[in-house]
Amino acid sequence: MSSNLNETIKRVLADARSDESDVRSATAPHQADFPYDREEEAQVTRREFCNFLGLTSAALFVGAAGFAGKAAFDARCTPQFPAAKIEGAKTLAPGSSLNFRYPSTNDSAILIRTLDGELHAFGQKCTHLSCPVYFERAHQRLECPCHDGAFDAKTGNVLYGPPPRPLDPIKLEVRADEEVWAVGREAGSGEGLI
């Protein structure tokens, strides 16, 4: 049985050599027109590899530095939001809340008149997973129903739960005729607004 195996191996090796010689003899007349050196084709020198590695690393560094620079520039620029009148705020009873849209029609916000009559406004998205918060009258705080988080109704600070930072406060102005206007929005705890 081993003699059959040896015969088979010899036949396969002979076929492989004949295939290579057949290809070389078939391409020989065209070698002058299309020079091709198979041995040098697969070789990559250390210098070529280091050049490729250096250029790729430099390109990645420049790209990352560009993104970091843009993020730093954007963090220094504070966005300016237009003033908007909050309809119904004038008649808001102490210990109650009112939902409104600010700074755009896609951004929900909540206005609270505390029991002592002070007005406070915040972005309505919970800072944990952006669930909408609501004003709980019985406890006089903002609560997130998704993951049981709670915020102080006067400061927006986290009272308990998973939210990592305070709610985004909205600046208010009381103008002529006791009308309430939203005039700006910040990110909670001094971070840049996203």
Side-chain angles (χ1 to χ4, degrees), residues 124-139:
Q124 199 176 9
K125 290 181 180 178
C126 177
T127 56
H128 179 229
L129 292 175
S130 299
C131 293
V133 297
Y134 68 94
F135 182 65
E136 175 58 49
R137 290 182 190 195
H139 298 106

Side-chain angles (χ1 to χ4, degrees), residues 49-107:
F49 177 73
C50 288
N51 285 342
F52 171 77
L53 190 61
L55 289 173
T56 303
S57 298
L60 290 173
F61 177 76
V62 168
F67 281 114
K70 181 171 179 357
F73 178 75
D74 290 347
R76 291 177 46 184
C77 299
T78 55
Q80 300 296 322
F81 300 111
K85 181 179 171 183
I86 303 173
E87 297 294 333
K90 186 176 178 179
T91 59
L92 189 63
S96 60
S97 66
L98 172 73
N99 291 344
F100 66 101
R101 301 283 181 176
Y102 187 79
S104 72
T105 57
N106 296 328
D107 299 309

